[in-house]
Amino acid sequence: MAADHLAPPVRQSDDPEYSANLRRATLASTAGSALEYYDFALYGLASALIFSKLFFSNLDPATALIASFATFGVGFVARPLGGLFFGTVGDRLGRRWVLVVTILLMGGASTLVGVLPTYEQIGVWAPILLVFLRLCQGFGAGAEQAGSTVLMAEYSPVKSRGFFASLPFIGIQAGTLLAAGVFAFLGGLPEEVLLGWAWRIPFLASSVLILIALFIRMKLRESPTFIELEQNDQISDRPFSEIFGGSLGSLLRGIGLRMAENGGSYMFNSLAVAYATGTIMVSKSIGPIAVAVASLIGMVSVPLAGWISDRVGRVPVYRFGAIVLLVLAFPGWYLISLGNPVLVIVVIAVAIGFGVNTMLGAQCALLPEMFGNKHRYLGVAISREFSAVIAGGLAGVLGAVLIKAYDGSWIPLAIYAFGLAAITFATTFITPETKGRDLTRLPDALVENRETKVAAR
């Protein structure tokens, strides 16, 4: 049932005086999204293509790939911890300063990866340091995207919240495109050059994105809904206890919605690239090209999905994205297994560009709208990051294990992808519609939806 009737006639963020702050919030969120996904796409592609040779050269190739993806997964272990910590801080002290701290922590760790010595230079300390930096990166990222999502939803005009909230996520596509473009270029270099020094350049380049994002965020003002909490003395002293005490249903739905979106993203961004290049022996440049094409599609499909969700609702749009991955699971992985470079590009581009990004476009407004104002940051952070561990964090490691255990068969990978999509598809049928919801409301959408049904009866 739509929640349009809950929206007030006028909201602060609809007022013309907020237009400058809305633009600033959009730029701040976009820059952070670009950095986060540049870093994560970069790390994911590096895990698939080169880290096994740089940091695990003492292992056989198949085991080294598992170890490489394991370090990638370690970052997802730190993300919920960062989400819990920074989410609590964001609900108690505000969104702005949390976003400044997380951009420094996340980007700084990525930059330092570019100066790490390899296994041949310092032995086992090389992967240990890599894991430490990956933990730091994950801890910062655990609240970065949640903060950007909440900030934009709280700043956006009510009637076009889906569209405006999705705009910063173009930064996700830009960051992923940039990382994929860099690796597509690096993939054409001689291996001794790539593994010698060239792999360091894209990580060191993270410092440029940090400076840009930091400059914008230092000028950012606090969101209008948090200001209202402060003015009404409604800020929760214990958002952590509050979220687990009364919002468990919303959290579980948020996690379920993210299984296909987050898991599918990393399956096709990283695992499919590793499978195509390492098992099917497609050229190393094909995977990054496919990811780049998907990102170009996403620059249109993400805001388009957000715009459509303002008209038909968040849940139907989200369900459509889940159906794309559900239908594509078996034929998609089969086509990748054929080793045709064009088919590899098409499958990855369709899966990410239309499946994952359609869900992402609707999710930008849906997740913040699901939670009440007193614990919104923490609720979105937990939903995003706990699902990131279960879905995205396991995708690379479990996928690499399946590739080794089943001698490169595509069928286990297809079953895995189908399972993630099925969970999200089912979750859309128990998720309340939130389009147009007033974000100054304190209860969760799920609670209000139940109360409305009881009152109607």
Side-chain angles (χ1 to χ4, degrees):
M1 180 172 138
D4 297 70
H5 65 284
L6 296 176
V10 179
R11 225 184 116 219
Q12 276 191 312
S13 56
D14 294 325
D15 195 282
E17 70 180 84
Y18 275 85
S19 60
N21 290 330
L22 178 60
R23 287 194 299 271
R24 193 177 292 118
T26 303
L27 286 173
S29 301
T30 302
S33 298
L35 176 60
E36 178 181 356
Y37 275 78
Y38 171 77
D39 288 342
F40 272 81
L42 192 66
Y43 202 103
L45 289 168
S47 299
L49 300 173
I50 62 171
F51 275 177
S52 60
K53 299 175 182 177
L54 291 168
F55 295 97
F56 303 99
S57 55
N58 59 318
L59 305 174
D60 66 87
T63 305
L65 180 63
I66 294 173
S68 180
F69 272 121
T71 65
F72 184 58
V74 160
F76 289 92
V77 175
R79 287 182 69 139
L81 299 177
L84 289 172
F85 176 76
F86 287 117
T88 302
V89 174
D91 278 326
R92 294 187 63 183
L93 302 181
R95 326 308 192 198
R96 177 175 177 252
W97 286 109
V98 171
L99 290 173
V100 171
V101 174
T102 55
I103 203 76
L104 287 172
L105 184 59
M106 184 178 65
S110 297
T111 301
L112 289 175
V113 170
V115 300
L116 281 181
T118 64
Y119 187 89
E120 289 187 357
Q121 294 170 318
I122 62 169
V124 72
W125 280 104
I128 290 174
L129 291 173
L130 181 67
V131 167
F132 173 74
L133 290 179
R134 179 66 177 152
L135 287 169
C136 293
Q137 186 189 54
F139 193 75
E144 166 61 35
Q145 202 58 60
S148 296
T149 301
V150 168
L151 183 76
M152 275 311 301
E154 292 180 338
Y155 259 112
S156 299
V158 177
K159 292 183 179 179
S160 52
R161 184 185 291 142
F163 173 72
F164 275 96
S166 69
L167 289 181
F169 283 69
I170 295 176
I172 290 177
Q173 316 307 319
T176 305
L177 178 61
L178 182 59
V182 168
F183 260 90
F185 170 74
L186 293 179
L189 296 176
E191 188 163 292
E192 62 272 14
V193 176
L194 173 62
L195 300 180
W197 57 269
W199 69 272
R200 300 181 183 275
I201 295 175
F203 288 97
L204 295 174
S206 296
S207 58
V208 178
L209 289 175
I210 296 173
L211 293 175
I212 295 172
L214 190 60
F215 175 77
I216 297 170
R217 290 188 176 186
M218 291 298 292
K219 295 179 175 292
L220 185 65
R221 293 184 182 179
E222 191 53 78
S223 81
T225 56
F226 186 81
I227 290 174
E228 183 159 333
L229 277 179
E230 289 184 313
Q231 291 174 342
N232 295 327
D233 197 25
Q234 293 176 325
I235 294 176
S236 174
D237 291 328
R238 297 181 298 275
F240 186 83
S241 301
E242 190 175 286
I243 196 76
F244 283 104
S247 298
L248 187 58
S250 298
L251 291 175
L252 292 176
R253 284 164 175 78
I255 291 171
L257 290 171
R258 287 265 294 163
M259 297 304 286
E261 178 267 316
N262 188 259
S265 174
Y266 285 102
M267 281 199 78
F268 287 99
N269 262 316
S270 302
L271 182 60
V273 173
Y275 179 70
T277 57
T279 303
I280 309 302
M281 305 310 292
V282 174
S283 169
K284 280 187 172 64
S285 63
I286 295 300
I289 289 172
V291 174
V293 172
S295 299
L296 286 172
I297 295 172
M299 288 184 174
V300 177
S301 61
V302 169
L304 179 61
W307 180 81
I308 294 173
S309 78
D310 284 324
R311 280 139 186 85
V312 304
R314 319 294 185 212
V315 174
V317 175
Y318 211 106
R319 187 177 298 143
F320 174 81
I323 290 172
V324 171
L325 292 190
L326 202 64
V327 171
L328 190 64
F330 284 92
W333 282 96
Y334 168 70
L335 292 175
I336 291 175
S337 74
L338 297 179
N340 184 307
V342 175
L343 292 178
V344 171
I345 292 173
V346 169
V347 170
I348 292 177
V350 170
I352 299 174
F354 294 104
V356 170
N357 287 330
T358 297
M359 289 183 281
L360 186 60
Q363 182 191 114
C364 299
L366 174 58
L367 282 185
E369 288 171 338
M370 286 173 62
F371 294 95
N373 197 19
K374 293 176 70 173
H375 52 256
R376 178 171 297 120
Y377 199 143
L378 185 58
V380 173
I382 292 174
S383 297
R384 287 186 59 85
E385 304 314 328
F386 275 75
S387 60
V389 175
I390 301 168
L394 288 178
V397 178
L398 181 56
V401 170
L402 291 173
I403 291 171
K404 182 178 181 180
Y406 291 92
D407 295 324
S409 172
W410 62 271
I411 296 176
L413 301 176
I415 294 172
Y416 184 22
F418 184 88
L420 291 174
I423 292 171
T424 294
F425 178 71
T427 304
T428 62
F429 289 96
I430 57 172
T431 299
E433 180 55 64
T434 61
K435 179 171 74 78
R437 187 167 189 261
D438 178 12
L439 294 187
T440 64
R441 303 280 295 178
L442 299 184
D444 289 353
L446 185 63
V447 173
E448 283 191 339
N449 193 53
R450 288 171 180 165
E451 291 175 350
T452 301
K453 288 181 178 179
V454 170
R457 286 199 296 268

